Amino acid sequence: MDFSQLNILAILLAALSAFMLGGIWYSPLLFQRTWMEGCGLTELDLKDSDPKWVFGGSFVLSLIMAFSLSLFIGPHPTLGVAVGAGFAIGICWVSSSFGMSYIFEQRPLKLFLVNSGYHVLQFTLMGLVLGMWP
């Protein structure tokens, strides 16, 4: 694929959508408590973290994911293909990979469901955004 065919605006918006979804998903409104318990984190741990590193790094990684999804689905996917590919990647690659790691690490099922659920929705949402642009 020729990189000039990539829609940079759509990639940026797809990354931003995933970043914003994470802000809601891991907030007190949804799964913050379950996620923190599963990870063994406390409020103090969150306050002690460097927000530039956490949020800046998360956005850069979201950009990488949106860029690679854009390469995977091609320059002009149909909406169904883009959303379907995002969903399949979330379930088949990301969640399955998490599942293997979580089994060996003996991590809680609730943590797996929170984290893998986010990534399934994240890739599906990125596929939606990328598929909406011509």
Side-chain angles (χ1 to χ4, degrees), residues 101-116:
S101 296
Y102 280 38
I103 288 169
F104 280 100
E105 295 169 0
Q106 299 178 21
R107 299 186 80 164
L109 177 61
K110 284 183 182 180
L111 182 62
F112 167 76
L113 294 173
V114 168
N115 286 334
S116 65

Side-chain angles (χ1 to χ4, degrees), residues 23-124:
I24 297 166
W25 192 262
Y26 291 101
S27 76
L29 294 173
L30 290 179
F31 301 110
Q32 183 182 42
R33 182 176 311 276
T34 304
W35 171 74
M36 288 175 60
E37 288 172 5
C39 292
L41 294 172
T42 66
E43 292 288 337
L44 184 59
D45 293 323
L46 296 183
K47 289 179 184 173
D48 286 346
S49 65
D50 180 4
K52 290 178 287 205
W53 171 248
V54 171
F55 296 110
S58 294
F59 186 71
V60 168
L61 293 171
S62 291
L63 276 171
I64 292 168
M65 288 182 268
F67 175 78
S68 65
L69 180 59
S70 179
L71 288 174
F72 183 76
I73 62 176
H76 304 291
T78 65
L79 184 60
V81 166
V83 171
F87 180 77
I89 287 168
I91 290 279
C92 299
W93 293 344
V94 179
S95 288
S96 297
S97 296
F98 273 8
M100 277 195 303
S101 296
Y102 280 38
I103 288 169
F104 280 100
E105 295 169 0
Q106 299 178 21
R107 299 186 80 164
L109 177 61
K110 284 183 182 180
L111 182 62
F112 167 76
L113 294 173
V114 168
N115 286 334
S116 65
Y118 164 70
H119 288 292
V120 170
L121 286 177
Q122 169 197 35
F123 276 99
T124 304

